[in-house]
Amino acid sequence: MKKLVLLAAAAAMTISASAQTLKFAHVNFTELVSLAPEADEARKVISASQKDAEETFQSMYEEYQTKVSQYQQKAETWNQSVRQTKEKELSDLQSRIQEFQQSVQQELQQQQSKLMNPIQEKAMKAVEQLAKEGGYIYVFDRSQVLYFDPAQSTDLTPAARKAMNIPEGRTMESLQAELAAQAQGQQQ
């Protein structure tokens, strides 16, 4: 019985000692992915694709509006067959526009995934490497954790930024300002 108590006490001390050596870290994964130099190129490609899609949609919509206007102006002068043909043409064009919107939205999402997945994988590898080198048992994404104590968790974001070649002065705020300036420049 005495041996059992001693074994339990030894086990408790071992668990307690090992719990004290556990190392935790956190990282801002969104920042790593968003600020990666490769993300700038991905955003350019996605933006160009969106612009092309918008131009195509605008062209299709203008064609539709022109035909609706023509229909409204001339419908009373057309015989039944011509009016039905024009109504079917308008309906078909409207369906094509809706199909285009749906398919282009899916294609843009797929393109974004295709372009951003390698960046996410690179960020994940950088974090994993830093965690292994530092002997961390867990690395949490700051955006996914409700609370953490910064005194008991190491922020790996600066080291991961360096590993991913993110310029030192680049921040989420500076990125947002860049994107806002680009959007404003495109509107003018």
Side-chain angles (χ1 to χ4, degrees):
M1 180 74 166
K2 215 175 194 182
K3 283 185 181 183
L4 188 57
V5 171
L6 286 175
L7 271 174
M13 287 183 0
T14 303
I15 291 172
S16 175
S18 68
Q20 291 174 0
T21 61
L22 297 180
K23 291 172 66 177
F24 299 93
H26 58 277
V27 67
N28 187 333
F29 196 75
T30 301
E31 178 180 317
L32 296 177
V33 173
S34 298
L35 298 180
E38 300 90 340
D40 292 334
E41 187 60 35
R43 278 189 288 274
K44 286 178 188 174
V45 171
I46 293 166
S47 179
S49 295
Q50 287 173 332
K51 185 178 178 186
D52 290 345
E54 287 171 11
E55 288 172 359
T56 302
F57 171 79
Q58 190 62 34
S59 174
M60 293 172 78
Y61 185 72
E62 287 172 5
E63 178 186 357
Y64 176 75
Q65 289 296 353
T66 300
K67 290 186 180 203
V68 165
S69 178
Q70 180 186 29
Y71 176 84
Q72 290 171 341
Q73 291 172 357
K74 297 182 179 181
E76 292 183 18
T77 63
W78 290 331
N79 65 35
Q80 184 69 18
S81 297
V82 172
R83 196 170 30 251
Q84 286 176 345
T85 301
K86 295 292 184 180
E87 287 170 359
K88 174 139 177 48
E89 185 179 327
L90 286 173
S91 177
D92 290 347
L93 187 53
Q94 189 175 25
S95 294
R96 278 193 3 240
I97 290 171
Q98 289 173 346
E99 288 171 10
F100 173 77
Q101 283 180 305
Q102 291 171 353
S103 68
V104 80
Q105 187 176 26
Q106 288 175 346
E107 288 173 14
L108 288 172
Q109 287 173 347
Q110 289 171 351
Q111 181 185 42
Q112 183 171 4
S113 291
K114 180 181 175 185
L115 293 171
M116 295 305 286
N117 282 346
I119 300 167
Q120 291 171 341
E121 289 172 12
K122 180 180 178 181
M124 184 63 77
K125 286 179 183 176
V127 170
E128 285 176 5
Q129 182 66 34
L130 291 167
K132 287 178 184 176
E133 288 172 3
Y136 297 99
I137 189 166
Y138 288 107
V139 177
F140 299 98
D141 182 358
R142 288 184 64 175
S143 66
Q144 304 288 326
V145 178
L146 297 177
Y147 172 80
F148 69 93
D149 183 355
Q152 296 185 36
S153 178
T154 304
D155 187 0
L156 294 181
T157 305
R161 286 174 57 104
K162 192 172 185 176
M164 292 184 63
N165 299 319
I166 297 172
E168 204 169 297
R170 190 146 197 229
T171 64
M172 291 298 284
E173 291 79 18
S174 67
L175 174 62
Q176 289 172 348
E178 288 173 28
L179 296 176
Q182 286 174 2
Q184 197 172 39
Q186 290 175 352
Q187 289 177 354
Q188 293 177 354

